[in-house]
Amino acid sequence: MSAAAVLGVAWLGGLVGLVVPPLARRFTDPPARPQPRRGEGGRVWLPVSAAVFGGLAVTRGDDPALPVFLLVAAVGLVLARVDLACLRLPDPLVRTAGLVALTGLTGAALLADESARLVGALAGATVAGVAHVLLALLPGSRLGFGDVKLAAVLGLPLGWLGRDALLVGLVLPHLLHGGLVVGLLVARRVRRDTLLPLGPALLAGAWLAALLG
């Protein structure tokens, strides 16, 4: 992908960042205030989403499924914002991401004659879903079934990219989350019983896995 095209995709990501906060407020419980607090507005999410889109364009620019990755990333940004605000991953947003991923990857597989990669995507969703169900059932686990469903959805694009990307996407989010928890505990910003959102780590880990895969 040319530098101009990458910049165009990153610019599109910036526009997505502007609408992330107002879209996320529709799904927060209790509803967020109409005026976002400092750090919650589009000025924060604009560079984040631009970097997310730009990174995918640079590393996955020749993949026929790039538009699917970008759409899933757009929904994922809204999910991350909601989870940070109220520790929820709303089913309508997770279902939307799953539907976009499944239909988009199916279409990309048909157009590019990549049926094997579609099988890999379905296998990735199954592996990611089962692995996180088992984690959620462990004694003392704080993993919610919203996290399980999101992990299964993210398994679709990761499985499309292959086994290595899927493995990184399964492990890296928990390393990121664990490191954050340890850091916050050391800094005495949270207690051992403080609930922290896992959704942003799942999404960040999947994004990094896509860049590395």
Side-chain angles (χ1 to χ4, degrees):
M1 180 176 284
S2 68
V6 170
L7 288 175
V9 173
W11 180 80
L12 177 62
L15 292 181
V16 170
L18 292 176
V19 301
V20 164
L23 285 176
R25 283 198 293 272
R26 295 175 177 268
F27 295 93
T28 54
D29 183 21
R33 297 184 302 174
Q35 293 298 322
R37 293 170 297 199
R38 183 179 180 182
E40 294 181 350
R43 286 181 295 178
V44 171
W45 288 91
L46 188 154
V48 171
S49 58
V52 168
F53 274 50
L56 289 172
V58 169
T59 58
R60 306 260 68 94
D62 59 348
D63 195 307
L66 175 62
V68 183
F69 296 163
L70 296 177
L71 288 171
V72 172
V75 180
L77 288 163
V78 180
L79 278 165
R81 172 65 183 82
V82 174
D83 205 16
L84 287 169
C86 59
L87 297 175
R88 289 180 61 242
L89 292 169
D91 281 344
L93 287 175
V94 177
R95 283 196 299 266
T96 297
L99 183 62
V100 166
L102 183 58
T103 57
L105 292 176
T106 300
L110 293 175
L111 291 173
D113 194 20
E114 296 275 13
S115 58
R117 298 185 75 179
L118 179 59
V119 172
L122 296 174
T126 302
V127 170
V130 170
H132 283 80
V133 166
L134 295 177
L135 288 175
L137 294 177
L138 289 175
S141 174
R142 295 184 178 182
L143 194 69
F145 276 89
D147 301 314
V148 172
K149 288 179 279 190
L150 178 59
V153 167
L154 295 175
L156 286 165
L158 292 174
W160 172 274
L161 294 175
R163 181 182 58 188
D164 292 344
L166 177 63
L167 180 60
V168 173
L170 287 175
V171 175
L172 187 56
H174 299 282
L175 295 178
L176 294 173
H177 185 72
L180 175 63
V181 171
V182 170
L184 291 174
L185 285 171
V186 170
R188 297 184 178 181
R189 299 291 300 274
V190 299
R191 301 183 305 179
R192 290 181 180 272
D193 59 350
T194 302
L195 293 177
L196 296 173
L198 180 61
L202 289 172
L203 291 158
W207 176 69
L208 290 171
L211 301 190
L212 299 171

